[in-house]
Amino acid sequence: MPRITKVYTRTGDDGTTGLGGGQRVGKDTLRIETYGTVDELNSVLGVALAAGLNAALVEALGAIQNELFHLGSDLCILEADKARMPVPRIEERHVVALEALMDKLSEELSPLENFILPGGTPGAAHLHVARTVCRRAERIVIALGRQEPVGAWTVKYLNRLSDALFVMARHENKRRGAPDTLWNSRA
């Protein structure tokens, strides 16, 4: 674990930052954009938790926030460096856990018969924002993966997580007695 004695280092004042393997890259590179967006997603989940979610979601989201740190470490180390620098990574087990969570939460939900609009309770609305940030992170990881290798489970994890956040938003509304807001295609 890193021991941080000072938050500022001044090494990024030239517009570069260090990857986990020690390489210096521009702060505007796609890799930095990728794990910066994952960090943004984690912060949005913190806001959702601070809004006060039902207990069934709090524990799951705590684990997911930790997994997002795994994803950040997975993305800040180049694939070529991972053999010599073992770091927490996103693995198949994380994807399977998200699928199991969705299955469990969905047991309380009625099947979708229409598209729904983001909203409902404040907690559900925050989860919908998190879902959209997650989709953006997924798109950026896909773009990065076209340029250089990324972890084998990163895209799958983000894909499942965005689905899980959708289910969690619906679950939050259900537990709070707020109906899903249906899309009116004829409006």
Side-chain angles (χ1 to χ4, degrees):
M1 291 301 289
R3 184 168 182 261
I4 300 169
T5 57
K6 265 192 198 179
V7 173
Y8 66 91
T9 63
R10 299 186 178 130
T11 58
D13 291 350
D14 64 354
T16 66
T17 191
L19 295 178
Q23 303 89 342
R24 300 293 299 175
V25 298
K27 290 183 178 184
D28 59 349
T29 64
L30 196 53
R31 183 169 289 276
I32 303 307
E33 180 70 21
T34 301
Y35 66 81
T37 304
V38 169
D39 186 34
E40 179 185 354
L41 170 58
N42 209 339
S43 294
V44 173
L45 290 179
V47 171
L49 285 162
L53 299 172
N54 76 72
L57 302 182
V58 171
E59 183 178 343
L61 285 170
I64 288 166
Q65 283 192 295
N66 195 68
E67 290 165 5
L68 288 172
F69 260 78
H70 284 16
L71 180 55
S73 74
D74 202 337
L75 290 166
C76 85
I77 304 285
L78 299 175
E79 291 302 300
D81 291 341
K82 287 182 181 171
R84 69 177 176 82
M85 300 183 71
V87 295
R89 300 180 200 191
I90 290 298
E91 301 170 354
E92 181 179 21
R93 67 185 170 95
H94 298 112
V95 174
V96 169
L98 287 174
E99 291 171 350
L101 173 65
M102 282 187 280
D103 291 344
K104 180 180 177 194
L105 295 176
S106 293
E107 290 174 359
E108 294 182 36
L109 302 174
S110 59
L112 281 174
E113 296 178 7
N114 196 352
F115 290 107
I116 66 167
L117 301 176
T121 65
H126 286 302
L127 290 168
H128 278 294
V129 172
R131 174 186 56 77
T132 63
V133 173
C134 188
R135 285 287 188 208
R136 178 164 31 97
E138 179 185 11
R139 291 189 303 270
I140 298 169
V141 170
I142 290 167
L144 178 63
R146 288 192 175 119
Q147 293 180 2
E148 55 188 278
V150 296
W153 292 96
T154 58
V155 172
K156 292 174 187 168
Y157 179 81
L158 288 167
N159 186 276
R160 289 315 178 287
L161 180 55
S162 62
D163 292 340
L165 291 167
F166 176 80
V167 171
M168 285 186 236
R170 289 191 69 217
H171 189 270
E172 176 66 9
N173 279 338
K174 172 82 173 177
R175 284 277 180 105
R176 303 281 182 198
D180 288 327
T181 305
L182 300 179
W183 172 50
N184 180 353
S185 63
R186 294 183 178 93

